[in-house]
Amino acid sequence: MSLTPTDIDRIAHLARLALPEQQRERMLTRLNGFFGIVETMRAVDTQGVLPLAHPLAAIQDVQLRLREDVASEPDQREANQRNAPAVEAGLFLVPRVIE
Amino acid sequence: MTAPKLIQGYEVVIGFETHAQLRTQSKIFSRAATAFGAEPNTQACAVDLALPGTLPVMNREAVQCAIKLGLALGSRIAPRSVFARKNYFYPDLPKGYQISQFEIPVVQGGEVSFFLGDEKRTVRLVRAHLEEDAGKSLHEDFHGQSGIDLNRAGTPLLEIVTEPDMRSSAEAVAYAKELHKIVTWIGVCDGNMQEGSFRCDANVSVRKPGQSLGTRREIKNLNSFKFMQQAIDYEIRWQIEEIEDGRAIQQATVLFDPDTGETRAMRTKEDSADYRYFPDPDLPPLCISEQWIEETRGLMPELPRKMAERLVTDHGLPEYDATTLTQSPAMAAYFEAAARASGAPKLASNWIMGEVSKRLNAEEIGIDAAKVPAAQLARLIGRVQDGTLSNAAARQVFDALWSGESGDVDALIEAKGLRQMNDTGALEKIIDEVIAANPGNVEQFKAGKDKAFNALVGQVMKASQGTANPAQVNALLRARLGA
Amino acid sequence: MAAALHDQTVAQLAAALRAREVSAVELARHFLGRIERHAGLGAFLATDEAVTLAQARAADARLTQGGAPLLAGVPLAHKDIFVTRDFPTTAGSLMLKGYRSPFDSAVVSKLADQGMVCLGKLNCDEFAMGSSNENSAYGPARNPWNPGRVPGGSSGGSAAAVAARLVPAATGTDTGGSIRQPASFCGLTGIKPTYGRASRHGMIAFASSLDQAGPMARTAEDCALLLSSMCGPDPDRDATSLDVPAEDFTRALDGRLDGLRIGVPREFFGEGLASGVRAAIDAALAELEKLGARRVAISLPRTELAIPVYYVIAPAEASSNLARFDGVKFGHRAKDYADLEDMYKRTRAEGFGDEVQRRIMTGTYVLSHGYYDAYYLQAQKLRRMIADDFQRAFQDCDVIAGPVAPTVAWALGAHGQDPLADYLADIYTLPASLAGLPGMSVPAGFGEDGLPVGLQLIGNYLQEGRLLNVAHRLQQATDFHLRAPEGF
């Protein structure tokens, strides 16, 4: 599996990472090196094996716990917005969203 | 089933995706409140804002709503379903992914049946799954920026997806209305479309009969039935025009502009977004036991369609009436109460479909604000049944009840002197007087003019000040005239 | 006081505090002074004397009143992956420079409830991604045994601080070995519990299905003390938290090891293992045999596969977990941008370092359309096979033992040209991470260049007590854990 510059651009866009020209080459090399290691994994026969999404599922039935429907979170807007880059009238400001 | 109506020779294919906000106190994955209309970001806690280190915790009530919906739609409720992350970047999506369900949704299959005119239609459902709502972008100008309110982020949703079974905009709207009725009836959604509690996306495509499915465009966020029909109609015409002009339809997401009545493609989302779905490692699989499903089944009210069928079967009501009477739990309760108290379901139905509905529509109020309670209506119906009141007189009494003049049916009858004359002796006397006073009409009637008969009936009614029983007048007059 | 304050263990300090032989404020000042003197180690990212002394004074008040909690007044420091209200949290990244969390991590709260006094936040690889602490945006941390060497990572600051006795204990996190490996490189005792044993609430997420919090200290007893407080169900805030009651891990420390079967995986002793490391491990195993344990040869056949499996799963989850860093609600936002898309891209390119960007890229790729089945899904299936391999092995042994890493700590910058070398060096710690099993590193002596070597102990699910027991007994028979680097 060899990645192309087009792949790099597509992935960088999906990940919203600005990747200047010079860095694209380096990223391409690094990632191709990485995928060299990963190739060994692909060839292994995993027929009939269920994926292990939650580690303890290897030995027991792991189920989602449910909580009661109670709205107990108080309004903590000020504390929660303390780290916001841009806030006005309680709203987070961002460059104009065009639909 | 009748063949679908073609438009300019094209068959229309429509599928719906509906997002219903669930009536829970708290959000699906956090304990912030879900009430509508709060000040911006006052109902967005750390989890909703995706602050570093926060994790989702599942709301039991949201699952309960899913089970109820699954039962109402005749679906299969998955014993084990999985939450997945749908990854994309948007300012109203704090985590940069939406927690939804992908490969294994909680509700699978099911169907919605409704009437389109006289015809019964059934739309099959693919699935319904739980997911979280996003926040809102406000585009009022903040120096050229948008303001993001995350109060709505994390509100529980059920996304209900149909097969592309609909063949006209009218059918689509009928489906949406029936689904709306169901989700509000079973109490999982408040159905407030203006507040965004029930939002529909319509997938529309056209094709020549016999061809494979055409490319579809998705009309997003239709939150009024009126606009729904308008939007779909426009989209159909637009697509046909494009094809007729030799252009292929590009898959796109479109918005309906109510001011212009047109659908317009959104800024094209490049090569159909790659959401990179994968099971959310923060949430183990959701398990729903048979026991929980059965317990929920026991809590379910009789569903509107079932109740309507029962009204048709048990009381001989027409389908249309039965559907109208089961349009909401409040309406159904009103009908049941009036029917039971009066023992006359057909009459109760007529009154509700007629006089009651007329006034509700004119005053733009719901049945829960009806100014004549069901018990009073039942009493009124009783007085018509036992001959005390003629229909005309009953309407007068109803007017008085509705306007609040009095709440006592019998008192009104006495006060207005509306008691129907049932004394045949007195009636015969009046009839004789009228015959004597209207020789011309009698002549004409005997000459075969039925209109003359009605005029004589009218005279009798007038002479009795409306209290004569019209059926009796009819019978006695005919007898007198030897007809 | 027998030894200098900073040479005492948590257990010893707790006792001294209770006996009022020393005050919490005294201790705090003592360690803060050392932290300042050894700033060149790059262990700490944040301190705040006022906050620390306030906590110390509160602890002293409780100690005077009586009824103070077990660890009242004992200082510790937290890896900068744990959010704290009283100190900034950076996760070693420019993305969170100056970030102040409105809430504390579960782990931080639990240890604060025990009366521990926080000395500050510790350096780490950015977003816990790395094996050397060279991926921190705030400069590397250095190995006190040789400041030209890496302390290991990602909990490098934690390891450096404890090894240099700037703090008696520290918290770390372990996703692929980030507690065990720095503990090994710095001659410390560290333990990663069973996945889900400690709440992840407040722990900035790297790889959700792998991340676990754990203590790093100089003795197994200290680790047992801290771990007991750190673990416990947290169903209200972490859905992956195990429904297993908190346990007092100090109770079983002294159990005898007679008949204990120690599984030694042959795959952990292949070509890549440095001879100095091998020798130290062999010696440690011999010590355990002297204590009554018995070696059993076992096989973990998919050990090497753990590398690609981990480096597919972890970056995939990370790429999604880090999507929230978008310059909208908190954290860094670029100064100049043309529009929303530009804002996202510049913000993230500026905020994230190279290694984080690389992992986001690989993670995004393996989840993307057309590649999900071949990479992510395949990796999750292999993950199950690796977990099953361990279950098979545990039929023949009680504890698995081997090296933590193939070598001793490498020189700063040595892997610079080849970041993949970092990945390959994780080979022995990754398998237990993937399976979610508890794993420990215990000082086992010294290898090449006189640098520390750690013995890895891997237990079956929920067997932390047994691991700590083995480690404790080994520490009663050896003194590697008591050695200190010179100059500190």
Side-chain angles (χ1 to χ4, degrees):
Chain A
M1 175 84 257
S2 206
L3 296 170
T4 66
T6 315
D7 289 324
I8 298 293
D9 285 341
R10 177 176 62 88
I11 300 165
H13 176 66
L14 279 177
R16 296 304 186 273
L17 287 171
L19 210 52
E21 193 67 47
Q22 333 82 282
Q23 285 185 328
R24 203 211 269 126
E25 265 312 307
R26 208 151 42 105
M27 184 68 81
L28 185 57
T29 314
R30 290 267 195 264
L31 291 194
N32 276 328
F34 165 77
F35 280 103
I37 301 180
V38 170
E39 282 315 296
T40 53
M41 175 195 84
R42 297 190 54 189
V44 180
D45 179 15
T46 54
Q47 182 76 250
V49 180
L50 291 172
L52 187 68
H54 305 278
L56 274 285
I59 56 155
Q60 65 193 43
D61 189 27
V62 177
Q63 293 187 9
L64 182 58
R65 271 189 310 253
L66 305 174
R67 67 170 163 86
E68 292 311 306
D69 179 29
V70 177
S72 57
E73 283 290 337
D75 168 17
Q76 288 187 309
R77 184 169 79 182
E78 207 183 304
N80 288 338
Q81 291 188 329
R82 199 166 36 181
N83 298 285
V87 164
E88 194 176 301
L91 295 160
F92 295 97
L93 295 186
V94 297
R96 196 134 169 74
V97 172
I98 305 162
E99 303 226 294
Chain B
M1 195 193 92
T2 56
K5 200 178 68 176
L6 300 181
I7 298 182
Q8 291 174 239
Y10 287 86
E11 179 181 57
V12 176
V13 176
I14 304 171
F16 258 47
E17 284 162 22
T18 302
H19 291 91
Q21 276 186 352
L22 302 181
R23 283 181 65 186
T24 59
Q25 298 298 315
S26 61
K27 299 201 178 164
I28 190 172
F29 296 119
S30 86
R31 295 180 178 82
T34 54
F36 183 83
E39 281 298 298
N41 292 305
T42 54
Q43 286 177 185
C45 68
V47 174
D48 301 322
L49 295 179
L51 295 191
T54 51
L55 294 166
V57 182
M58 185 74 202
N59 184 337
R60 167 184 296 278
E61 187 57 31
V63 181
Q64 178 76 284
C65 289
I67 298 174
K68 283 184 178 172
L69 183 73
L71 288 173
L73 301 176
S75 317
R76 173 177 177 269
I77 293 162
R80 193 178 192 84
S81 62
V82 175
F83 286 96
R85 295 188 183 181
K86 179 180 182 182
N87 298 279
Y88 64 96
F89 284 86
Y90 209 66
D92 66 7
L93 194 68
K95 293 188 290 294
Y97 60 86
Q98 176 196 32
I99 301 179
S100 177
Q101 295 188 298
F102 185 55
E103 286 177 337
I104 312 179
V106 59
V107 169
Q108 298 164 3
E111 60 184 37
V112 174
S113 296
F114 51 92
F115 277 88
L116 188 59
D118 287 331
E119 199 185 333
K120 182 170 183 198
R121 301 299 302 256
T122 298
V123 171
R124 295 166 304 161
L125 297 175
V126 178
R127 52 188 272 159
H129 66 257
L130 285 165
E131 62 180 25
E132 55 179 349
D133 210 344
K136 278 200 192 135
S137 309
L138 301 173
H139 304 302
E140 290 133 43
D141 222 348
F142 290 94
H143 335 291
Q145 299 183 289
S146 296
I148 308 296
D149 175 14
L150 295 172
N151 279 350
R152 198 180 67 176
T155 303
L157 295 175
L158 269 167
E159 178 175 333
I160 303 155
V161 183
T162 75
E163 297 280 9
D165 283 353
M166 293 167 276
R167 294 287 174 272
S168 69
S169 62
E171 183 175 4
V173 173
Y175 159 77
K177 285 184 170 171
E178 185 69 24
L179 182 65
H180 183 273
K181 185 201 302 193
I182 293 172
V183 299
T184 52
W185 188 283
I186 63 178
V188 305
C189 176
D190 71 16
N192 188 325
M193 292 173 80
Q194 265 124 329
E195 288 180 0
S197 304
F198 188 88
R199 316 190 296 255
C200 293
D201 299 339
N203 288 300
V204 180
S205 67
V206 300
R207 64 178 171 188
K208 283 275 161 74
Q211 270 186 351
S212 56
L213 285 173
T215 305
R216 60 174 203 221
R217 300 208 320 165
E218 183 186 19
I219 313 173
K220 281 201 84 69
N221 282 337
L222 295 162
N223 59 2
S224 109
F225 295 122
K226 181 173 109 187
F227 292 154
M228 214 175 274
Q229 180 130 24
Q230 263 188 287
I232 296 173
D233 285 337
Y234 178 87
E235 179 64 20
I236 292 168
R237 283 198 306 275
W238 184 89
Q239 287 195 14
I240 292 175
E241 210 174 289
E242 286 288 295
I243 295 173
E244 291 287 297
D245 283 350
R247 287 186 290 275
I249 305 294
Q250 305 291 342
Q251 182 163 45
T253 307
V254 307
L255 288 176
F256 176 68
D257 184 344
D259 297 327
T260 61
E262 299 178 350
T263 54
R264 165 180 59 89
M266 291 169 78
R267 227 165 59 126
T268 33
K269 304 201 165 167
E270 358 62 24
D271 44 270
S272 54
D274 183 353
Y275 294 118
R276 289 155 280 137
Y277 285 99
F278 70 103
D280 194 332
D282 289 331
L283 295 165
L286 173 64
C287 293
I288 296 174
S289 66
E290 271 304 315
Q291 189 188 358
W292 191 1
I293 297 174
E294 285 319 303
E295 276 167 11
T296 307
R297 204 190 294 274
L299 299 171
M300 300 282 289
E302 185 184 24
L303 295 171
R305 185 113 315 274
K306 273 247 110 49
M307 185 176 171
E309 279 163 25
R310 182 166 60 77
L311 296 184
V312 170
T313 320
D314 292 354
H315 305 307
L317 296 184
E319 296 268 15
Y320 182 81
D321 292 13
T323 302
T324 307
L325 293 172
T326 55
Q327 67 184 250
S328 72
M331 178 63 87
Y334 189 96
F335 166 76
E336 294 267 61
R340 204 174 309 125
S342 66
K346 258 223 167 92
L347 284 177
S349 169
N350 290 343
W351 274 91
I352 294 172
M353 300 286 296
E355 295 299 315
V356 176
S357 288
K358 195 167 70 180
R359 282 169 181 72
L360 293 178
N361 288 336
E363 294 176 37
E364 288 186 354
I365 54 176
I367 188 70
D368 42 340
K371 303 202 175 129
V372 175
Q376 269 181 25
L377 180 63
R379 237 187 316 282
L380 184 62
I381 290 171
R383 286 288 174 256
V384 171
Q385 277 192 301
D386 67 17
T388 309
L389 282 177
S390 67
N391 280 325
R395 278 195 287 278
Q396 278 188 60
V397 175
F398 187 82
D399 268 337
L401 288 171
W402 191 275
S403 65
E405 201 180 303
S406 166
D408 185 332
V409 170
D410 288 331
L412 280 169
I413 293 174
E414 290 316 313
K416 293 184 185 290
L418 293 171
R419 184 174 284 279
Q420 192 161 237
M421 180 192 300
N422 289 319
D423 174 3
T424 41
L427 193 51
E428 279 169 4
K429 205 157 146 259
I430 294 177
I431 285 172
D432 286 339
E433 284 167 14
V434 166
I435 288 175
N438 293 276
N441 281 339
V442 174
E443 280 289 330
Q444 295 203 324
F445 171 68
K446 288 199 164 152
K449 303 241 157 77
D450 279 327
K451 247 206 256 190
F453 183 81
N454 292 340
L456 289 170
V457 170
Q459 290 290 334
V460 172
M461 294 302 294
K462 198 163 108 183
S464 74
Q465 277 133 21
T467 60
N469 184 329
Q472 274 192 329
V473 170
N474 224 295
L476 288 173
L477 193 53
R478 280 193 195 277
R480 261 290 184 276
L481 295 173
Chain C
M1 298 256 86
L5 290 174
H6 50 270
D7 284 328
Q8 310 240 348
T9 64
V10 167
Q12 288 167 332
L13 289 172
L17 283 156
R18 267 197 305 280
R20 307 313 275 135
E21 285 165 13
V22 69
S23 75
V25 168
E26 238 182 286
L27 272 182
R29 285 196 202 283
H30 179 75
F31 282 104
L32 284 173
R34 288 177 62 74
I35 291 168
E36 206 178 305
R37 276 199 300 285
H38 298 289
L41 216 46
F44 276 81
L45 292 182
T47 53
D48 187 331
E49 186 174 312
V51 170
T52 298
L53 291 179
Q55 288 183 14
R57 277 191 278 273
D60 277 331
R62 294 175 82 176
L63 284 160
T64 311
Q65 274 163 18
L70 192 61
L71 302 171
V74 179
L76 98 157
H78 292 294
K79 181 175 181 178
D80 210 16
I81 275 281
F82 294 99
V83 300
T84 48
R85 271 187 304 194
D86 297 334
F87 296 86
T89 307
T90 67
S93 179
L94 289 176
M95 189 57 95
L96 287 176
K97 188 167 185 174
Y99 177 76
R100 279 288 189 146
S101 174
F103 68 96
D104 280 327
S105 309
V107 159
V108 168
S109 302
K110 286 167 91 90
L111 291 168
D113 287 345
Q114 288 304 321
M116 297 194 87
V117 173
C118 183
L119 298 179
K121 307 300 286 296
L122 295 163
N123 203 351
C124 58
D125 280 305
E126 189 179 357
F127 288 106
M129 298 187 204
S131 316
S132 64
N133 218 128
E134 292 173 293
N135 293 333
S136 167
Y138 302 95
R142 293 165 183 281
N143 192 322
W145 294 89
N146 180 336
R149 302 279 178 139
V150 302
S154 58
S155 311
S158 305
V162 176
R165 282 108 169 101
L166 308 184
V167 70
T171 54
T173 63
D174 190 311
T175 304
S178 294
I179 285 176
R180 290 163 284 162
Q181 186 249 41
S184 173
F185 281 9
C186 291
L188 300 177
T189 310
I191 179 166
K192 173 196 93 70
T194 307
Y195 179 82
R197 203 103 200 236
S199 169
R200 290 189 298 118
H201 171 74
M203 221 168 95
I204 300 180
F206 157 22
S208 314
S209 73
L210 295 155
D211 293 343
Q212 263 301 280
M216 298 172 75
R218 280 164 30 238
T219 66
E221 182 185 18
D222 281 358
C223 284
L225 279 167
L226 262 67
L227 192 65
S228 303
S229 295
M230 290 169 75
C231 291
D234 193 8
D236 285 343
R237 299 178 301 185
D238 175 2
T240 59
S241 153
L242 289 181
D243 192 10
V244 169
E247 204 180 307
D248 178 0
F249 296 116
T250 61
R251 267 186 303 150
L253 282 176
D254 286 309
R256 296 180 59 85
L257 304 185
D258 299 293
L260 184 79
R261 298 167 303 160
I262 300 184
V264 182
R266 67 162 164 274
E267 293 82 4
F268 281 28
F269 292 83
E271 263 180 26
L273 184 61
S275 52
V277 176
R278 184 190 294 259
I281 299 300
D282 278 335
L285 290 173
E287 279 298 332
L288 288 172
E289 282 176 311
K290 274 199 264 176
L291 289 167
R294 175 163 72 80
R295 273 196 237 206
V296 176
I298 61 165
S299 173
L300 293 172
R302 280 170 260 265
T303 295
E304 258 186 57
L305 274 176
I307 298 172
V309 169
Y310 174 88
Y311 279 102
V312 162
I313 294 173
E317 295 181 2
S319 70
S320 181
N321 286 330
L322 267 53
R324 67 191 63 203
F325 299 104
D326 57 8
V328 174
K329 303 91 51 190
F330 50 80
H332 176 69
R333 179 189 285 198
K335 291 263 173 318
D336 304 302
Y337 42 83
D339 55 28
L340 180 66
E341 289 297 300
D342 199 30
M343 190 275 275
Y344 281 148
K345 292 181 177 182
R346 283 177 192 261
T347 294
R348 290 164 61 78
E350 288 170 15
F352 293 136
D354 285 349
E355 181 59 26
V356 169
Q357 291 194 36
R358 267 193 296 273
R359 296 201 194 190
I360 290 175
M361 291 286 285
T362 55
T364 304
Y365 184 78
V366 301
L367 289 175
S368 68
H369 183 61
Y371 300 103
Y372 175 85
D373 283 3
Y375 289 107
Y376 188 79
L377 198 56
Q378 175 75 345
Q380 293 282 48
K381 291 180 179 183
L382 285 168
R383 182 178 188 172
R384 183 178 291 275
M385 291 166 83
I386 289 171
D388 290 345
D389 287 348
F390 274 105
Q391 290 311 299
R392 253 187 301 279
F394 279 120
Q395 280 170 6
D396 299 326
C397 66
D398 305 307
V399 159
I400 294 171
V404 172
T407 66
V408 297
W410 52 84
L412 282 157
H415 285 185
Q417 295 318 304
D418 182 16
L420 292 181
D422 277 6
Y423 294 4
L424 296 172
D426 288 336
I427 183 171
Y428 306 136
T429 49
L430 297 179
S433 300
L434 290 168
L437 296 167
M440 233 187 127
S441 178
V442 191
F446 300 85
E448 283 78 3
D449 304 316
L451 288 163
V453 172
L455 172 72
Q456 185 177 196
L457 298 170
I458 301 169
N460 211 339
Y461 300 103
L462 306 178
Q463 297 282 301
E464 293 83 359
R466 167 164 271 163
L467 297 182
L468 289 160
N469 164 223
V470 173
H472 181 68
R473 297 291 287 173
L474 185 62
Q475 288 179 347
Q476 286 174 325
T478 60
D479 72 346
F480 301 122
H481 60 294
L482 297 174
R483 309 264 188 93
E486 281 178 19
F488 291 95

